[in-house]
Amino acid sequence: MTRAELRASLSLAALYLLRMLGMFLILPVFSVFARDLPGATPELVGLAISAYGLTQAVFQIPFGLWSDRYGRKPLIVLGLALFALGGALAALSDSIFGIIAGRALQGAGAVAGVIMALAADLTREEHRTKAMALIGISIGFSFALSMVAGPVLSTWMGLTGLFWVITALALLGIALVFTVVPTPVVTRFHRDTEVQTASFGTVLAHPELLRLDFGIFSLHLILTATFVVLPVLLKDRLGLPTADHWHLYLPVFALALVSMVPFVILAEKYRKMKPVFLAFIALVAAADLGFVWLGGNFWAVFGLLYVFFTGFNLLEATLPSMISKIAPPDLKGTAMGVYSTAQFLGAFAGGAGAGWIHGRYGITAVFLYCAAAALLWLGLALGMKPPRHVSSLLINVGGLDREQAARLSARLRQIPGVAEAVVLAEDGVAYLKVDKHRLDQAALTALFQDLAA
């Protein structure tokens, strides 16, 4: 990567971290603090936690489309401004209803896809995977940091202060856009990061992609539902002060991250993706069932959280990789757009559903709800085809007419290790799916040298 590409990637990863940190900070503490708000009920607490998911699902694809027309940076600034206004509204509210409105407004600033599109504008095709990897790392880090910072900050400054911190993070993100994030020379459509509305039918008719969409819906339903009741369980059943919850989350999350690494290697290097994937869905289901019977013992909760986060982290990392392997090479952006919509709808269903169940049937029933979602997902995943062990590869081919693009596609498909190849003249890009262990790199290089000559 050039210095400009590295700067773009790091600054956008930082921007993503600030936004996601602002979204996650309340997750480990809100259900405890919100009980004292006027008008609060378990149903409304669950809705406040998850309201952002519904508005994010509604607006994330439109924001991406608008950014093609009005520019990336203006849409990112608009989205962050909405996020800041939502945080301020929640901070100034003295009832649960104002916080629900603030959280919904935060979700309406749905700039995740726009940030990905801007990363594509600022990096060359052959280095785009590295930029996306940096952004992906920032998402995981923001979640881990929120598990520690949320309990600490809320103890110092209360829920109101926490929402002001979230507002400040959004404003810091806006400053970052103006001062650090580069402005692209050219803004254009990228099939690997953006949605093609005309191709929704193709993606929605793909059974393997739909299984993965249901998977991310279920995973975020389970995560959000769990955190509707977990902070209450830790405080009320285990007697652990909210300020000390991070003492549990930090070692559990660190151990879980280390533990998942061998299984990622087993899935990717040794081509055991499906059995590892299924096993970790079962682990998440087992952890939630464990909370039903063992939720009153500290060390049991510690162990169950370790199992839960190990499963969650691996599945969260594996699902987008599987989307990339399965989606048609020129429809990856569209597939990811549908996938992201399913993710946010899952978060909404998890919080709203868990709040309703908690209010009527108690904490134990929420864990049963999560376990049932995981077991249903496991049943659907059993029928999935083992994913091919391929990687996406984008190559700039320059100006070609349609006939030349078709001939190049055919020649690329003849190279050993190239599973799929689509060359689009209007993009000037070859979209490939390759098996890196079988790819004849010399033949691929020679073909493009001949093309250049």
Side-chain angles (χ1 to χ4, degrees):
M1 298 178 80
T2 65
R3 290 183 65 181
E5 287 174 320
L6 186 59
R7 175 190 172 193
S9 301
L10 290 173
S11 62
L12 290 174
L15 187 62
Y16 219 109
L17 186 149
L18 291 172
R19 185 177 181 278
M20 298 310 294
L21 184 60
M23 196 66 78
F24 288 141
L25 266 178
I26 73 160
L27 197 60
V29 299
F30 184 78
S31 58
V32 172
F33 283 93
R35 294 185 296 185
D36 299 327
L37 292 169
T41 64
E43 294 86 350
L44 293 175
V45 169
L47 186 59
I49 289 173
S50 62
Y52 81 92
L54 181 60
T55 48
Q56 180 114 349
V58 169
F59 286 104
Q60 62 125 2
I61 289 177
F63 258 77
L65 298 174
W66 294 334
S67 76
D68 289 333
R69 182 172 181 180
Y70 300 110
R72 312 290 190 215
K73 281 191 167 184
L75 264 295
I76 291 174
V77 170
L78 172 62
L80 291 173
L82 289 173
F83 195 88
L85 287 172
L89 175 58
L92 293 168
S93 297
D94 57 3
S95 75
I96 191 70
F97 300 102
I99 291 179
I100 292 171
R103 289 287 284 172
L105 187 56
Q106 284 182 319
V111 297
V114 185
I115 292 174
M116 296 295 190
L118 181 55
D121 285 335
L122 293 169
T123 55
R124 290 166 292 167
E125 285 82 3
E126 57 267 33
H127 295 294
R128 195 162 299 155
T129 303
K130 300 172 189 175
M132 299 307 172
L134 286 171
I135 292 173
I137 291 169
S138 75
I139 297 171
F141 183 70
S142 68
F143 184 77
L145 184 57
S146 70
M147 292 295 101
V148 175
V152 173
L153 292 174
S154 61
T155 302
W156 289 347
M157 58 186 62
L159 199 57
T160 297
L162 196 59
F163 277 116
W164 282 123
V165 169
I166 291 169
T167 302
L169 289 172
L171 295 175
L172 181 58
I174 292 174
L176 202 66
V177 173
F178 284 117
T179 60
V180 181
V181 176
T183 300
V185 177
V186 177
T187 295
R188 65 182 183 86
F189 182 81
H190 304 277
R191 294 174 191 268
D192 58 316
T193 60
E194 297 184 72
V195 167
Q196 304 173 62
T197 54
S199 300
F200 275 138
T202 302
V203 169
L204 292 172
H206 196 301
E208 297 303 316
L209 289 177
L210 287 177
R211 277 195 177 92
L212 298 178
D213 294 336
F214 184 79
I216 196 63
F217 174 91
S218 302
L219 188 62
H220 279 261
L221 179 153
I222 293 165
L223 176 71
T224 311
T226 296
F227 275 95
V228 170
V229 294
L230 181 62
V232 177
L233 181 148
L234 295 179
K235 188 173 189 300
D236 293 354
R237 289 193 185 178
L238 300 184
L240 190 65
T242 305
D244 295 336
H245 286 191
W246 73 272
H247 295 161
L248 177 63
Y249 293 136
L250 180 60
V252 161
F253 208 81
L255 286 171
L257 284 174
V258 172
S259 299
M260 65 174 270
V261 173
F263 295 98
V264 172
I265 295 170
L266 179 65
E268 293 285 356
K269 185 176 180 179
Y270 295 99
R271 307 202 168 197
K272 300 293 184 182
M273 179 68 77
K274 182 176 178 179
V276 169
F277 185 70
L278 295 176
F280 276 75
I281 299 174
L283 270 185
V284 170
D288 278 306
L289 287 173
F291 283 120
V292 173
W293 292 289
L294 302 171
N297 179 278
F298 176 85
W299 289 110
V301 169
F302 184 97
L304 290 168
L305 277 177
Y306 163 68
V307 171
F308 176 84
F309 278 123
T310 302
F312 173 82
N313 289 336
L314 184 135
L315 294 167
E316 181 81 354
T318 302
L319 278 163
S321 172
M322 293 172 72
I323 288 279
S324 181
K325 295 176 191 302
I326 291 170
D330 57 328
L331 294 181
K332 180 184 172 185
T334 306
M336 287 302 300
V338 174
Y339 170 89
S340 297
T341 300
Q343 172 184 326
F344 294 119
L345 287 175
F348 175 71
W356 185 86
I357 292 169
H358 182 207
R360 283 161 176 75
Y361 306 107
I363 289 176
T364 298
V366 174
F367 289 119
L368 287 172
Y369 170 59
C370 294
L375 290 171
L376 177 59
W377 176 18
L378 179 61
L380 289 174
L382 284 171
M384 68 184 281
K385 297 176 182 176
R388 297 174 303 168
H389 288 269
V390 295
S391 304
S392 296
L393 180 63
L394 278 65
I395 302 174
N396 192 319
V397 298
L400 299 176
D401 60 34
R402 292 193 174 185
E403 184 177 340
Q404 291 172 321
R407 286 201 301 269
L408 181 57
S409 297
R411 292 178 66 186
L412 285 166
R413 286 191 287 267
Q414 293 172 359
I415 294 175
V418 176
E420 294 181 65
V422 177
V423 180
L424 296 175
E426 59 268 32
D427 294 2
V429 174
Y431 300 90
L432 309 181
K433 292 283 184 68
V434 302
D435 182 336
K436 290 183 177 179
H437 295 291
R438 295 182 53 245
L439 180 63
D440 187 339
Q441 186 66 55
L444 185 64
T445 302
L447 173 58
F448 282 99
Q449 285 176 343
D450 290 345
L451 182 68

